[in-house]
Amino acid sequence: MGEIADFDALRRALAENSEQPEGPARNARAELLLAEAERLEVPLAVIEALGHQLKVYNYSSEKDKMFVPFARLLRMWDERPEDFDAYEAHSLHWVFKWMSAGMLDQPHVPLASVEKWLGEMEHRYRLAGHSERAVRSAEFSVAAHVGDLARAERAYTAWLAADRDAMADCHACELHGQGVWQAESGRDAEALGLWRPVLEGEYSCAHEPHTVLASSLKPLLRLGRVEEARANHLRGFRLVRPMESMRGAYADHVEFCALTGNEARGLELLAERPAYFTDTGHPRSRLDFMAVVALLADRLAELGLGAQRVPGPAGRTWTARALAVHARAEATELAERFDRRNGTSYVGDRARARMAQRPLVERLPLGVRTVRPAPAPAAAAPAPGNADGPAGLSVLLAEARRMSDTLRPHALRAWAAVAEAARDAELEPRDRAEIADHEAMAGGPEAVELFERAAALYAEAGDPGEALAARARGAYVRALHGEVDAALAVVAGLYDEVLALYADGATGVRQTAAVVMSRARILMRRMHEYPAGPDAGTALAAAERAVREVLALVDGRDGDEVRLAARAAEARAMLAELAGHAGDAGRAAELFRRAVEAYVAAGLPWFAVEYEVQVAALAHQAGDMAGAERALRGALEHGGPYVEPVGRAQLHLQLAEVIGGRGEAVEAAEHALEAAHWADEAGESGTLGAWARQQLGGFLLRQGRYAEAAEVLESALVDLDPGTHGDGVVVQARWWLGDCLGELGEHREAAEHRLRAADIARHWPEQQDHATLAHLAAESLGSAGLLDEADEAYTRAGELWRALDNPYFLVRSLRARGWLALRGASGAEGARELMAEAVRECEEALAAAADPVAREQLTDELGHTHRQFGDLLARWAAERAEGEAGDDEVRAALEAALARTEEAVVVFGTLGAGGLHGRTGAELAAGRLEADLGRPDAAAARARGVLAAYEGAGDEDGTVLARRAEADRILRAARAGA
């Protein structure tokens, strides 16, 4: 750092340091600046440097350093108050509040000293003529901290009763403190009522709504308002993340994760802030942090993840179990230090209660990428009764048979339990046959051999029909692995045998249907092998005959047994597939719907899911989005908990796209959120999950929930890949994120994402998106103050607009460059040239346009271009008037601005009623310029012209009201200046 030569240079350096991120680097710079201030030998310079030190220490992890500079400031005030200007005198009294809180947060400061300081604060505020409001607020903080609830209530009442004055905390901070007291007193609804103006943006400050969002999380969860809690977590954490001083609020977000089944995200938060484990400058927030670390680590241990590696204090490797022990010990020791100082157990009681909390929500999906920690392998759930011995095995067998006979979703698991229990048992051939049969159904490379073994055992047990059914299932497995011809040869013989047995009464319809269905399935596979060509028709006809044989066999009998009902429903679905294969989509959809109805009627709705999906796809192809939506909702309803996580994710994502397509962003976001959640559960975070998050971010953006959308989209972009998801998805995600960041005022970051999206889009054959993104990036760069980069981006966009023959945006890019030039090195001359070029481009496009609509739009654009040209010249004149320019130069600029504005009036006038608002706006701008040029009568005439233009217009149009109000102001000013 170079030497500070004078007081102005010091002030600039202090201001620059104030804009730096919170943390030790900013604090160290403040210390160097104090040394520079002392060299100047100007008392006020030292006072301002000390005040700056106080501020940066207070907003950092080194809060314990505040006391030394404050003591020095207070001594300087007592010795020479005349050295303080009004601002520094106000600041000195303001930071008394920081000292009160700072002492309370340091357990080594005796409580008697805190109370003494509170009295000193009250005395000095009274001398300075300030209200008691800040004093009573500080007293409330002391009483609430030590657990003197009666005194806290009295101080709270006195705080609210005292007048607000210049020493009172801002509305947002006061409401935060009041709401926290209500929540800690068990009045969550009242707390949220107090916080509402802060949460809705009515009140804010440098640290609000940051802390209110964090404090609101548990009350919202306790009240069951989980959607709001999720939103406040995403919004609030985004605000807290870059601010080192907000360890307490950061802890609230970690706690939220531990209480909502988001332990993995909680670990990610810990990993982002390793210094929070060890920073000792603010013991109270360290206690808060270590308590929630213990809570989170204990939760992981409960889930069977005590041995998992987790983030922790530097210097060693931590497991969840070890971190829990360490954090609990640290939190307990800190709480004991406070309690010894306070003479109560209140802090320790609260810390212990915080560490002992139970989850408030089993799992609250957040939308951001989170891979749920996999629990350690758990022991198999105990089977009904005692599984040891013959009696227990009989119970397992009976349950497995019940589940398979009624086609329950988890029947194969039940048979797996039987197989495990029967490993060393002596069983009858029938029992062993069923075990082998169901083991084969579970899949695997040995399925064919297992089906053959089951068939042999069924035959040994005297059930030839079931033996044939098992062998037929084995043949179908061969077809699934590509051996279709061999499978057909096998199943043909089995088919003849089972029909003979059935005709002789030697087997039942159930076994016969199993063989006939396997044959139909194999023929369906063969049909798919011949999608076109001379054999296609033959294969399709053979498959259809086989399917209809199944229906002929089981139709009308499905009331006897659920298995037969399922065969009939599956056969109808096969006929639907055949109709689709033949090109009859309408017939296919109808048959799929009948299959769905049959499964539901049979009490087997989970089998209907895949056919509802087929109906949805056919409806989508036909443009029947309402039908697609009904089918997808039906699939979710029918599948219930039995659909695998990846299937749920896909269904919710499809439904989100359909619902979002009809403009219902709120419900679409709910389904996209569910899709992201189930994709994470399925281990598909980086594929399907990223896609769902991209969609969720877009739906949140459409609702104006910019901070939430930004968090979700940033999370999605970690995984979105052009090779997996496509260029378009990646570009759209960055585009949306740029929009969000722009709305949040993060213009530099918005520009980065828009430029990266534009860089991908520049390779596309169609360049409209490339041009739009380049233009948007330029807007962001300009808003970020990066003038040269913005001009370069606008130039690139203009070239693209010219190539796309889009004069509207070409003109707008030139106008934007003109405004940038006025702020940059080329100044007024460059700005004039660019505005003049914009006028020429617009006039040339208008002259060449033949379409009436295009001519009207270009005329409107030309009017706005003249108007902006005039505004630019007026701005330049105003800036010159404040400088050293002569009156003649300023007057000439104003006359030029008026001439351009009059051009705008004329152009808008040619549009008739369609250009009314544009014309009156230009007339009023001209009136203001007439007034600046000392021509009040001309200004008044223009204002009266505007009022006449709106004579008879109602008050429904806000523009009309604004124009009339502005015209009245010009008339009053003209009369006053006449």
Side-chain angles (χ1 to χ4, degrees):
M1 181 184 70
E3 289 188 356
I4 301 294
D6 54 38
F7 198 178
D8 286 341
L10 175 70
R11 282 177 163 166
R12 286 194 297 272
L14 293 173
E16 289 171 4
N17 198 44
S18 292
E19 297 301 316
Q20 297 305 305
E22 295 178 354
R26 187 170 74 157
N27 296 353
R29 170 78 166 159
E31 292 160 7
L32 291 173
L33 289 173
L34 175 60
E36 292 289 332
E38 290 167 338
R39 288 182 54 258
L40 297 177
E41 297 183 355
V42 176
L44 186 56
V46 176
I47 290 167
E48 291 188 10
L50 285 167
H52 176 68
Q53 249 193 9
L54 262 172
K55 178 181 176 181
V56 300
Y57 285 154
N58 184 60
Y59 295 122
S60 78
S61 61
E62 298 179 311
K63 293 179 185 285
D64 54 338
K65 291 186 175 182
M66 289 192 301
F67 303 111
V68 172
F70 182 74
R72 184 176 173 187
L73 270 174
L74 193 57
R75 186 172 63 252
M76 292 175 74
W77 170 262
D78 289 338
E79 293 173 354
R80 291 180 55 84
E82 65 272 17
D83 288 341
F84 289 69
D85 62 14
Y87 178 82
E88 292 303 329
H90 175 275
S91 296
L92 177 70
H93 286 81
W94 180 269
V95 296
F96 264 89
K97 299 179 294 183
W98 294 358
M99 294 305 106
S100 298
M103 290 179 178
L104 201 61
D105 295 341
Q106 303 288 336
H108 69 276
V109 178
L111 191 60
S113 297
V114 177
E115 294 283 7
K116 180 181 177 182
W117 184 257
L118 188 60
E120 178 76 9
M121 178 182 174
E122 183 173 9
H123 171 67
R124 287 182 179 264
Y125 270 41
R126 188 178 298 116
L127 286 178
H130 297 308
S131 164
E132 282 193 345
R133 191 174 182 93
V135 178
R136 297 285 78 85
S137 173
E139 181 189 7
F140 162 77
S141 297
V142 173
H145 173 68
V146 302
D148 187 344
L149 303 187
R151 182 188 179 192
E153 283 288 0
R154 291 194 301 273
Y156 182 87
T157 301
W159 169 20
L160 270 60
D163 293 334
R164 281 188 56 83
D165 68 351
M167 283 298 117
D169 283 339
C170 75
H171 280 290
C173 289
E174 282 205 332
L175 289 173
H176 175 243
Q178 293 161 19
V180 167
W181 177 243
Q182 297 298 326
E184 290 178 351
S185 302
R187 297 185 288 268
D188 289 333
E190 290 84 347
L192 290 162
L194 284 165
W195 289 331
R196 183 195 56 75
V198 184
L199 293 172
E200 294 181 358
E202 184 178 343
Y203 300 124
S204 63
C205 68
H207 286 73
E208 293 297 352
H210 313 43
T211 56
V212 164
L213 286 163
S215 297
S216 72
L217 297 174
K218 276 202 300 187
L220 287 168
L221 291 174
R222 288 193 292 253
L223 291 172
R225 293 160 60 176
V226 296
E227 300 292 335
E228 294 171 70
R230 175 198 297 116
N232 287 4
H233 169 64
L234 294 177
R235 282 178 61 202
F237 184 68
R238 185 173 188 82
L239 294 171
V240 167
R241 179 190 280 133
M243 304 185 76
E244 187 209 34
S245 64
M246 304 198 76
R247 179 164 55 183
Y250 200 99
D252 290 339
H253 287 281
V254 175
E255 178 182 44
F256 168 82
C257 293
L259 297 177
T260 58
N262 286 287
E263 297 83 8
R265 179 164 171 84
L267 293 178
E268 292 169 4
L269 268 55
L270 296 188
E272 284 193 33
R273 281 291 187 183
Y276 277 174
F277 288 101
T278 52
D279 284 342
T280 59
H282 192 236
R284 192 169 179 181
S285 69
R286 185 159 183 258
L287 166 58
D288 291 336
F289 185 75
M290 297 310 289
V292 300
V293 170
L295 171 69
L296 176 63
D298 278 340
R299 179 67 184 145
L300 289 168
E302 287 178 23
L303 293 171
L305 298 164
Q308 177 172 316
R309 289 184 60 175
V310 296
R316 60 167 284 188
T317 298
W318 293 91
T319 64
R321 190 174 294 108
L323 183 63
V325 172
H326 170 79
R328 183 175 296 277
E330 290 281 315
T332 301
E333 191 274 332
L334 281 164
E336 288 173 351
R337 286 170 57 195
F338 279 107
D339 283 345
R340 282 195 301 272
R341 190 271 302 273
N342 299 339
T344 69
S345 65
Y346 190 71
V347 173
D349 291 343
R350 289 177 57 79
R352 285 184 287 274
R354 191 170 198 181
M355 291 186 283
Q357 291 177 100
R358 305 303 305 154
L360 295 170
V361 180
E362 181 180 352
R363 185 83 201 277
L364 177 61
L366 301 178
V368 292
R369 186 185 197 278
T370 300
V371 180
R372 191 174 194 180
N386 180 4
D388 295 329
L393 181 55
S394 296
V395 172
L396 288 175
L397 267 169
E399 177 64 11
R401 283 177 177 141
R402 183 194 68 79
M403 293 184 72
S404 58
D405 286 344
T406 55
L407 299 178
R408 297 299 98 182
H410 301 310
L412 291 179
R413 294 185 193 175
W415 281 104
V418 170
E420 180 66 24
R423 191 179 300 275
D424 299 318
E426 290 290 333
L427 294 175
E428 294 295 323
R430 176 77 190 194
D431 299 335
R432 287 186 286 132
E434 290 183 81
I435 291 172
D437 201 2
H438 287 91
E439 188 178 350
M441 291 178 196
E446 299 177 355
V448 175
E449 290 79 1
L450 284 168
F451 277 126
E452 289 295 332
R453 185 193 308 170
L457 289 166
Y458 280 128
E460 185 180 343
D463 191 340
E466 203 62 65
L468 293 172
R471 292 185 63 201
R473 286 189 281 273
Y476 179 53
V477 169
R478 294 182 67 177
L480 290 176
H481 287 84
E483 300 177 41
V484 176
D485 290 338
L488 272 176
V490 171
V491 84
L494 301 174
Y495 172 76
D496 291 340
E497 288 185 56
V498 81
L499 289 182
L501 285 175
Y502 182 59
D504 292 341
T507 193
V509 67
R510 171 173 153 178
Q511 291 81 2
T512 305
V515 176
V516 175
M517 177 58 82
S518 291
R519 176 174 173 269
R521 288 171 176 169
I522 294 168
L523 285 166
M524 291 288 290
R525 293 293 300 178
R526 192 178 74 159
M527 185 235 355
H528 284 295
E529 286 195 347
Y530 301 107
D535 296 321
T538 302
L540 189 146
E544 183 171 350
R545 284 195 300 273
V547 173
R548 292 195 180 280
E549 282 188 46
V550 175
L551 274 175
L553 180 64
V554 299
D555 236 1
R557 301 172 183 261
D558 48 10
D560 301 335
E561 184 186 351
V562 70
R563 284 177 177 268
L564 298 182
R567 298 289 187 212
E570 184 181 355
R572 288 188 171 84
M574 286 176 162
L575 289 175
E577 188 177 347
L578 289 165
H581 196 78
D584 190 347
R587 176 68 174 160
E590 174 60 27
L591 287 167
F592 276 130
R593 281 192 286 269
R594 290 175 61 186
V596 167
E597 292 166 1
Y599 275 123
V600 173
L604 304 170
W606 45 87
F607 285 112
V609 173
E610 66 175 294
Y611 305 119
E612 290 278 29
V613 172
Q614 295 281 3
V615 172
L618 290 167
H620 200 288
Q621 291 170 15
D624 178 11
M625 304 313 292
E629 182 178 336
R630 282 194 302 272
L632 290 168
R633 289 187 188 278
L636 281 170
E637 177 187 349
H638 294 142
Y642 304 117
V643 180
E644 291 297 318
V646 69
R648 284 204 200 187
Q650 291 167 337
L651 288 172
H652 279 294
L653 185 54
Q654 290 178 59
L655 196 49
E657 292 172 349
V658 171
I659 294 170
R662 60 178 171 83
E664 297 292 335
V666 174
E667 187 183 356
E670 293 170 1
H671 285 287
L673 177 66
E674 288 294 320
H677 163 67
W678 289 111
D680 289 343
E681 292 288 302
E684 296 288 342
S685 293
T687 50
L688 188 59
W691 204 315
R693 273 180 272 280
Q694 188 253 18
Q695 289 292 300
L696 174 59
F699 293 132
L700 292 171
L701 170 62
R702 282 162 60 178
Q703 297 174 58
R705 296 160 66 177
Y706 304 117
E708 298 167 66
E711 281 291 300
V712 170
L713 289 166
E714 286 171 348
S715 178
L717 281 165
V718 172
D719 294 308
L720 284 176
D721 176 72
T724 302
H725 302 94
D727 282 352
V729 172
V730 178
V731 166
Q732 186 64 79
R734 292 200 181 279
W735 193 328
W736 283 335
L737 181 54
D739 291 348
C740 293
L741 296 173
E743 293 289 344
L744 295 170
E746 299 175 34
H747 299 297
R748 186 184 293 262
E749 294 79 6
E752 177 188 347
H753 286 287
R754 286 169 165 173
L755 286 170
R756 292 178 69 176
D759 194 53
I760 298 173
R762 71 187 177 91
H763 300 291
W764 294 354
E766 169 55 54
Q767 288 290 284
Q768 177 75 27
D769 287 340
H770 181 199
T772 304
L773 285 162
H775 199 110
L776 290 171
E779 288 181 5
S780 296
L781 290 164
S783 297
L786 301 171
L787 306 187
D788 292 342
E789 293 86 343
D791 184 73
E792 182 181 343
Y794 273 125
T795 301
R796 175 185 175 187
E799 292 167 353
L800 291 165
W801 292 129
R802 189 185 299 279
L804 289 166
D805 193 24
N806 187 324
Y808 310 99
F809 280 94
L810 169 59
V811 168
R812 291 173 194 179
S813 67
L814 288 166
R815 293 198 310 243
R817 290 181 63 202
W819 284 106
L820 289 172
L822 189 65
R823 296 161 59 191
S826 57
E829 183 178 353
R832 284 173 183 259
E833 290 175 0
L834 286 162
M835 282 293 185
E837 185 180 351
V839 170
R840 286 195 302 274
E841 289 287 350
C842 205
E843 288 174 339
E844 290 173 6
L846 180 58
D851 179 65
V853 174
R855 289 188 59 80
E856 184 174 333
Q857 292 173 342
L858 284 165
T859 301
D860 184 71
E861 201 68 48
L862 180 59
H864 284 293
T865 304
H866 280 301
R867 170 68 193 277
Q868 285 201 34
F869 201 165
D871 290 346
L872 180 144
L873 293 168
R875 172 82 60 83
W876 180 80
E879 291 172 354
R880 298 294 286 176
E882 293 175 1
E884 299 178 357
D887 290 343
D888 291 344
E889 187 180 11
V890 170
R891 188 172 186 82
L894 289 173
E895 292 285 7
L898 179 58
R900 286 294 176 181
T901 307
E902 287 174 331
E903 289 275 8
V905 171
V906 172
V907 172
F908 283 128
T910 65
L911 293 173
L916 177 61
H917 290 335
R919 180 173 67 81
T920 56
E923 283 279 19
L924 291 171
R928 291 191 295 272
L929 288 166
E930 298 276 21
D932 291 340
L933 287 163
R935 299 196 284 260
D937 291 344
R942 291 185 184 276
R944 284 192 291 271
V946 169
L947 291 174
Y950 288 122
E951 189 174 350
D955 295 337
E956 301 82 12
D957 189 331
T959 302
V960 173
L961 294 175
R963 295 282 194 270
R964 284 172 171 166
E966 176 66 11
D968 286 338
R969 283 194 292 272
I970 291 174
L971 283 171
R972 288 195 299 272
R975 284 193 292 268

